């Protein structure tokens, strides 16, 4: 189910393929459309590969729909988008390691990750499986800068990495985002204390 700010049909902008799904309005909807010809002409004008432009479109739509960023102003959103890094990570690769210092927040745009925590008795516990739309790394940024768990990709995954300075400059200056972060951190830390 798509709502304001979401998009569909983006693959058709760069590939000549048949539609892979049917999209139906659930009421009155105002839609903006962009043809492939216009899109390719725009991409050529800015001298940017079409795949890169498409990736930026996906990132913008994803970030804007994420609960941490939903209430950001256009200027703040632009700051985030201009300074995040898109990372394609293959399956079974460690992204962050428990005990290491952490200076970025990760959003999972596509794929999945598993979260493991080693308790004081040396046992490793599977804490969670995270999928598209979820995040990790915020505890280190809001607490003492140390990763509280090890996160490894479970499948080929696309991550959006948001550096510490953007996190502090943009997210921590937005009350609603701070409230969302605080609730999430508390829940995750409570879970770790049980282990």
């Amino acid at each position: 189910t798509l709502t304001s700010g979401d998009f569909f049909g983006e693959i058709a902008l760069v590939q000549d393929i048949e539609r892979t799904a049917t999209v139906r309005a659930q009421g009155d909807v105002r839609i903006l459309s962009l043809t492939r010809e216009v899109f390719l002409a725009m991409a050529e004008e800015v001298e940017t590969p079409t795949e890169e432009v498409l990736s930026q479109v996906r990132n913008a739509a994803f970030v804007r729909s994420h609960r941490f960023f939903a209430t950001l102003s256009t200027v703040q959103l632009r700051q985030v988008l201009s300074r995040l890094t898109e990372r394609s990570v293959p399956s079974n690769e460690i992204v962050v390691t428990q005990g290491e210092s952490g200076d970025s927040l990760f959003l999972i745009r596509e794929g999945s990750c598993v979260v493991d925590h080693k308790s004081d008795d040396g046992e490793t516990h599977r804490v969670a499986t995270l999928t598209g739309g979820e995040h990790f790394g915020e505890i280190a940024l809001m607490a003492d800068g140390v990763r509280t768990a090890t996160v490894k990709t479970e499948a080929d995954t696309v991550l959006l990495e948001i550096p510490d300075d953007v996190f502090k400059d943009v997210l921590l200056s937005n009350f609603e985002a701070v409230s969302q972060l605080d609730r999430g951190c508390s829940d995750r830390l409570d879970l770790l204390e049980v282990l």
Side-chain angles (χ1 to χ4, degrees), residues 93-156:
E93 185 168 307
I94 292 175
V95 181
V96 301
T97 302
Q98 182 175 338
E100 291 184 348
S101 62
D103 60 1
S104 54
L105 167 73
F106 293 90
L107 307 177
I108 303 173
R109 196 185 81 187
E110 300 162 25
S112 62
C113 297
V114 291
V115 182
D116 293 324
H117 174 76
K118 186 180 281 189
S119 58
D120 292 339
D121 63 8
E123 284 194 48
T124 299
H125 304 272
R126 177 67 37 93
V127 177
T129 298
L130 306 176
T131 58
E134 297 186 277
H135 64 278
F136 58 92
E138 76 284 3
I139 294 174
L141 299 183
M142 293 187 73
D144 58 6
V146 176
R147 299 294 188 194
T148 57
T150 296
V151 180
K152 181 171 67 174
T153 55
E154 190 178 47
D156 291 348

Side-chain angles (χ1 to χ4, degrees), residues 6-28:
D6 291 331
F7 63 95
F8 57 89
E10 73 278 5
I11 300 303
L13 293 178
V14 291
Q15 297 177 15
D16 187 14
I17 61 171
E18 293 181 3
R19 297 292 188 193
T20 57
T22 299
V23 179
R24 183 177 61 250
Q26 288 186 313
D28 293 341

Side-chain angles (χ1 to χ4, degrees), residues 49-109:
T50 53
E51 285 294 339
E52 186 177 326
V53 173
L54 185 57
S55 184
Q56 291 175 5
V57 168
R58 284 187 178 137
N59 290 345
F62 177 81
V63 169
R64 188 171 66 184
S65 66
H66 193 279
R67 62 191 175 103
F68 289 169
F69 305 93
T71 60
L72 296 186
S73 69
T74 303
V75 172
Q76 289 173 316
L77 191 59
R78 193 175 299 126
Q79 280 182 285
V80 172
L81 292 170
S82 67
R83 292 157 69 188
L84 65 73
T85 302
E86 179 182 319
R87 291 177 54 188
S88 293
V89 185
S91 179
N92 206 35
E93 185 168 307
I94 292 175
V95 181
V96 301
T97 302
Q98 182 175 338
E100 291 184 348
S101 62
D103 60 1
S104 54
L105 167 73
F106 293 90
L107 307 177
I108 303 173
R109 196 185 81 187

